[in-house]
Amino acid sequence: MRDGTGDMQTPFLQQLVDTDIEVFVFLVNGVKLRGRLAAFDKFSLALQASTSTQTIFKSAVSTICDASAAPIRTSSAGDSSRKAEHLPSLLETSVQYRRRVRLQ
């Protein structure tokens, strides 16, 4: 907490704007957005994608994370070339996982 205000969002979001890294923004309805955080204010975020800028209300955001995070591999040492196909990734919503498993 800085200055006794308890505001954690401002320094975190400002760092994302300053570093200009690509992020995933997960919404509370399960939608995953990808882009660079261009700006923010008290109530909204401006997410710059390759073709457009989206304004997102903070109340609709569930999670923001770095898009360049390495995927987690769950295979054993002897089976390192094969990906675990039936396990959900950290960035996959439960609905997407159920649909993917159902289609296999």
Side-chain angles (χ1 to χ4, degrees):
M1 290 191 226
R2 291 186 182 180
D3 306 326
T5 61
D7 182 21
M8 292 175 55
Q9 292 181 17
T10 302
F12 175 73
L13 295 174
Q14 189 61 51
Q15 182 179 7
L16 293 177
V17 170
D18 294 343
T19 57
D20 197 39
I21 61 171
E22 195 165 47
V23 295
F24 287 128
V25 177
F26 293 92
L27 304 182
V28 294
N29 65 358
V31 172
K32 176 175 74 172
L33 304 172
R34 184 177 189 150
R36 298 179 191 284
L37 192 62
F40 65 95
D41 64 14
K42 187 175 181 181
F43 300 106
S44 62
L45 306 172
L47 188 68
Q48 177 70 44
S50 60
T51 58
S52 65
T53 301
Q54 295 176 307
T55 301
I56 306 157
F57 287 105
K58 285 183 177 178
S59 60
V61 174
S62 168
T63 307
I64 300 175
C65 65
D66 182 1
S68 66
I72 295 176
R73 299 209 175 184
T74 57
S75 57
S76 64
D79 192 23
S80 61
S81 62
R82 189 172 163 261
K83 290 184 178 179
E85 298 172 357
H86 297 291
L87 298 177
S89 71
L90 293 176
L91 303 177
E92 183 176 37
T93 66
S94 61
V95 173
Q96 291 169 331
Y97 172 71
R98 283 181 270 159
R99 284 182 187 153
R100 182 173 56 86
V101 170
R102 214 178 299 141
L103 293 174
Q104 291 178 350

